[in-house]
Amino acid sequence: TKGRGPAGFEASSAVLRAVLLNGAVPLTGRYGSKGPHLAPPPNHIQGHGKLELTTSIVVPPSGLWEGSDIMVAVIDGLNQPPGSDTDTARVTEGEIRRHCVSVSSSSLPLKITLAWTDPPAATYAERALINDLDLVVVSEGGDLLYGNGLLNGTEDEGEWRDSINNNEQVVIPSPPPGVRFTIHVLGATVVKTLQKGKNVTHQDYALSV
């Protein structure tokens, strides 16, 4: 699925997914009639929350919904010409791409969503994910927040890495105003490229902030 974005670019399916998941709102209540209260997303029970177009898609040209502080910025690496601003939105195995973002208010959470279109796995493959990317957000104070993971990881490094999903998200509920966050996208495993005729094995990705 492709669509036209506010800047006039042809949006990939990955960027549409990133934008929708980034604007999703948390589900509340309990898991089942007598189960525990739902934990904030992202998690394995409610995913990234309930899709909500009014918090996902902005109104041009201001980029803001009337009466709201919501603003969305996107980066789409698919089908972009080499040397363009979005040529950085693709990684090879072991490569790290960095993007920076800062906020002017702590009234709304800062959400950063990474999505990519993974090559298809073999039929009945034990592992469905082919290319594994990691989202890591670093604050000016050095705190590390991992996509779909934990603050500063754990003793077992593998526990903070999401090596199953091709959507990863970091949510900062009340970001300090003026603080810059650095978004790292790491090509943990990149073994196949969807685009034909490419000499370098890389994975394009999309970011929504």
Side-chain angles (χ1 to χ4, degrees), residues 15-27 41 46-57 111 113 167 169:
V15 81
L16 295 178
R17 183 160 22 100
V19 167
L20 288 174
L21 295 180
N22 207 59
V25 297
L27 295 171
Q46 66 164 302
H48 294 274
K50 181 182 71 173
L51 298 185
E52 180 61 65
L53 287 178
T54 58
T55 53
S56 295
I57 302 175
K111 298 176 71 174
T113 303
N167 306 301
Q169 186 177 84

Side-chain angles (χ1 to χ4, degrees), residues 47 59 61 65-66 76 91 113 163 176:
V59 177
W65 285 98
E66 185 176 356
D76 190 359
V91 288
T113 303
S163 58

